Amino acid sequence: MFEKCWNAFVIILGAAIIACGFNLFLIPHQLLSGGVSGLSLLISYFSDFSVSTMYLLINIPMLILGWFKLGKKFISLSILSVIATTWFIAVIPVQTIATDILLASVFGGVLVGIGAGVSFRIGGSSGGFDIIGSLITRYRDFPVGTILVGMNALVILAAGYLNDNWNIALASMASIYITGKVLDLIHISHIKVTVYIITNQTEELLSKLLEIPRGVTKIKTEGAYSHEPRDMLMTVTTRYELAELKSIIKKADPQAFVNIVDTVGVMGSFRRR
């Protein structure tokens, strides 16, 4: 129960940060964020529709797609994020914090990246192209932020053409690039590590590890000094899941020897969450 409440709080906090990025930095200078939010901003600049309304409407088909492909927990948190972001965009007043367009693009991009990143860290997303990015990274080993930058570039090209002002388009591109980099710094599920665990509580530890779920290899070892036979468990996981793995090991076998090494790449079967 506490975990669910904490996740909901983090999602709502991330939504508030994203809305601040929009209303305090991007919208006053007619800058774009990219993706679904960028489409929402672009439509609102050239029509009577509000940003919040378009943000909600465009996200609906993305959330439906994600519901069937990414799992109910992920999409439930994403739905909460979209609803909360829509509400915050509607209630936070639009005002100019930075008069310089470059500063506005930088700080707007940082805030949007932080807001989206914290949503990813607890297992959700801010909706929109984040869902498409998550679908791609589930089957291909690419950073989420880099994927979003590529998709968002299309929105920027449309903005430059429609506005006939490439200064705004270029500043928006800088904002989106910064958003992607901040997102990758926070959401690190594409970074892999290999964990070697030497334990005397093999079966208890295995039962817990296989619940994550991750593939685990059991290797028979022998102490060079004591000549005592022991088991070594090897598994590959992500830095995002590493904290959960450490907690499992400490509870199952506090005396276990654990060696964690960075993994350059993974071939073959590797389950992505």
Side-chain angles (χ1 to χ4, degrees):
M1 184 64 183
F2 172 78
E3 182 181 357
K4 291 182 178 179
C5 292
W6 172 254
N7 289 346
F9 170 76
V10 173
I11 286 286
I12 293 172
L13 177 63
I17 295 173
I18 291 173
C20 287
F22 288 168
N23 289 9
L24 303 182
F25 293 97
L26 301 183
I27 293 178
H29 295 277
Q30 291 200 323
L31 296 172
L32 299 182
S33 173
V36 167
S37 57
L39 287 174
S40 306
L41 292 169
L42 190 61
I43 293 172
S44 70
Y45 293 155
F46 292 95
S47 70
D48 294 328
F49 293 103
S50 67
V51 177
S52 57
T53 299
M54 294 310 306
Y55 184 82
L56 179 62
L57 291 178
I58 299 175
N59 265 299
I60 289 176
M62 304 286 184
L63 293 170
I64 293 174
L65 174 65
W67 183 268
F68 294 102
K69 296 292 185 179
L70 295 176
K72 294 182 179 180
K73 178 185 176 183
F74 177 84
I75 296 302
S76 296
L77 292 173
S78 300
I79 290 172
L80 176 61
S81 176
V82 169
I83 293 174
T85 302
T86 299
W87 184 78
F88 280 120
I89 291 174
V91 300
I92 295 176
V94 176
Q95 53 183 314
T96 304
I97 299 296
T99 56
D100 183 86
I101 188 172
L102 183 58
L103 286 176
S105 70
V106 170
F107 283 95
V110 168
L111 288 178
V112 174
I114 291 174
V118 296
S119 296
F120 268 117
R121 282 300 294 267
I122 54 92
S125 80
S126 58
F129 280 6
D130 293 351
I131 293 176
I132 297 178
S134 295
L135 282 170
I136 294 174
T137 53
R138 173 157 292 197
Y139 302 104
R140 293 290 185 272
D141 198 22
F142 297 128
V144 173
T146 302
I147 293 171
L148 298 184
V149 168
M151 293 189 294
N152 292 337
L154 297 175
V155 179
I156 296 303
L157 292 175
Y161 177 77
L162 294 174
N163 269 319
D164 196 24
N165 185 341
W166 289 100
N167 287 330
I168 290 178
L170 292 173
S172 296
M173 188 173 292
S175 177
I176 292 173
Y177 177 81
I178 292 169
T179 295
K181 289 303 179 182
V182 171
L183 175 57
D184 278 343
L185 286 173
I186 298 174
H187 179 64
I188 52 177
S189 66
H190 63 282
I191 300 176
K192 310 297 185 296
V193 294
T194 299
V195 182
Y196 299 94
I197 311 159
I198 299 178
T199 177
N200 289 322
Q201 307 295 329
T202 304
E203 296 306 318
E204 182 180 353
L205 190 53
L206 266 178
S207 65
K208 298 294 183 181
L209 292 177
L210 293 175
E211 291 176 1
I212 298 181
R214 286 289 180 206
V216 182
T217 299
K218 183 166 72 171
I219 305 169
K220 292 294 183 181
T221 64
E222 180 180 308
Y225 178 76
S226 65
H227 297 290
E228 292 183 4
R230 301 184 73 181
D231 290 322
M232 180 171 70
L233 305 178
M234 182 191 75
T235 184
V236 178
T237 186
T238 67
R239 284 202 175 276
Y240 173 67
E241 297 166 324
L242 187 57
E244 180 184 0
L245 181 60
K246 287 181 178 178
S247 177
I248 290 173
I249 296 170
K250 286 180 180 178
K251 289 179 181 178
D253 185 5
Q255 304 302 317
F257 176 81
V258 182
N259 184 26
I260 302 169
V261 297
D262 289 329
T263 301
V264 176
V266 176
M267 297 178 64
S269 178
F270 179 77
R271 182 185 178 93
R272 294 173 173 84
R273 296 208 298 174

